Amino acid sequence: MRKIKILKVSFDSTLTKHDIPAFRGEHLLFHNHINDKQVLYKYPLIQYKRLSGKPMIMCIDVGVDEIHKYFQKDSWDLKISNRWLNMHIDQLNMNQFTMQVWEKQWTHSIYDWLALNQTNYQKYQGMEALSERLDFLEHILKANILSFAKGIGWNVDKPIKLSITSLRPPKPLSLKGNKVIGFDLDFTCNVFIPNYIGLGKSVSLGFGMVKEMKQNKPTDTKIEQYGKNNF
């Protein structure tokens, strides 16, 4: 079990998906760069999101303390694509969550999930059966949760149970000028994942954002069929 703090800082400006890289900060925790040539590969504890067209910074655990340096600046305005973006804080929300493996199942959605690297993309393409692809994606998503757990110092001491309940056809996305494939899907899991946490690749740029689904209605398993040629 591990208790973590999460601070969500929302701004009243508008932002496009392509503007998010320019929205990132300059400290190690902000973008995981050691220098111009080296990158520190670990789970980002400060993540930049776009919600309802507005920018948001999500600070996780020690990232909450690190963001204080950001608030010491005289101005938070950004210059993006030769235009100035006036940044004013709209809301600050601080919450604490207990991270553990529960007896019950929680239902979540994940959006723009970058699940596949070059190697497992080829493996995925070679799978004929949809059930095989689902098992493959579930394994990757479970590994992403374990990477998140490692990043916050949470030692997972029980098996994580996860099942994809709704999978939409994969969609093309743009990452740093390159075309990538992303997924939107729903899943059940015996780990409660706080809203807007990112899982998978490039979560500091808003990819793989998780949201809890309301559970006042039963969720029927729904897998949208699609062929290999649609991927």
Side-chain angles (χ1 to χ4, degrees), residues 3-227:
K3 292 185 182 293
I4 60 170
K5 296 181 296 183
I6 293 181
L7 173 66
K8 295 192 288 287
V9 186
S10 303
F11 297 86
D12 60 3
S13 307
T14 57
L15 198 72
T16 69
K17 280 187 177 182
H18 300 292
D19 292 335
I20 293 180
F23 181 43
R24 301 171 81 191
E26 298 178 354
H27 189 266
L28 182 64
L29 277 174
F30 282 52
H31 58 52
N32 283 13
H33 281 78
I34 298 173
N35 55 43
D36 291 340
K37 296 182 179 180
Q38 290 181 284
V39 177
L40 180 62
Y41 291 103
K42 67 174 185 177
Y43 185 82
L45 298 179
I46 295 183
Q47 302 174 11
Y48 295 80
K49 317 281 183 176
R50 177 176 174 268
L51 293 176
S52 302
K54 296 183 177 182
M56 182 186 80
I57 301 177
M58 188 164 185
C59 313
I60 305 164
D61 202 42
V62 298
V64 175
D65 300 322
E66 185 61 30
I67 201 67
H68 290 168
K69 297 178 182 179
Y70 179 82
F71 292 127
Q72 291 172 2
K73 301 195 314 183
D74 294 332
S75 173
W76 305 319
D77 294 349
L78 296 175
K79 188 175 184 181
I80 300 177
S81 301
N82 294 320
R83 67 182 178 90
W84 280 99
L85 186 66
N86 295 321
M87 302 284 287
H88 301 285
I89 293 177
D90 183 37
Q91 288 185 347
L92 288 169
N93 299 102
M94 174 80 83
N95 291 285
Q96 180 172 278
F97 297 89
T98 299
M99 303 305 306
Q100 68 178 71
V101 178
W102 301 83
E103 293 298 325
K104 66 174 293 184
Q105 292 279 318
W106 308 89
T107 306
H108 300 86
S109 298
I110 186 169
Y111 302 96
D112 295 346
W113 178 43
L114 304 183
L116 305 176
N117 56 29
Q118 188 172 4
T119 300
N120 56 29
Y121 171 81
Q122 297 300 328
K123 291 181 180 179
Y124 186 90
Q125 281 287 77
M127 296 175 182
E128 297 286 347
L130 180 60
S131 59
E132 187 179 9
R133 290 186 167 189
L134 285 173
D135 288 342
F136 190 61
L137 291 176
E138 286 173 354
H139 176 78
I140 294 172
L141 186 53
K142 190 182 298 184
N144 290 167
I145 294 174
L146 289 172
S147 295
F148 160 64
K150 183 179 179 181
I152 61 172
W154 169 36
N155 180 32
V156 181
D157 57 357
K158 296 179 182 178
I160 293 178
K161 298 177 182 179
L162 185 149
S163 177
I164 293 175
T165 57
S166 177
L167 174 66
R168 272 75 82 188
K171 59 183 180 180
L173 297 171
S174 178
L175 173 63
K176 299 177 181 178
N178 299 315
K179 292 183 178 180
V180 294
I181 294 296
F183 293 90
D184 292 345
L185 58 86
D186 306 328
F187 65 97
T188 59
C189 186
N190 58 346
V191 173
F192 175 77
I193 303 168
N195 274 339
Y196 313 124
I197 285 287
L199 297 176
K201 296 174 58 181
S202 299
V203 299
S204 63
L205 293 175
F207 290 93
M209 187 165 65
V210 176
K211 288 189 68 177
E212 182 191 7
M213 293 180 63
K214 293 183 178 179
Q215 300 183 59
N216 54 350
K217 294 182 180 179
T219 301
D220 296 327
T221 299
K222 173 188 173 187
I223 305 298
E224 295 192 12
Q225 297 282 348
Y226 58 89

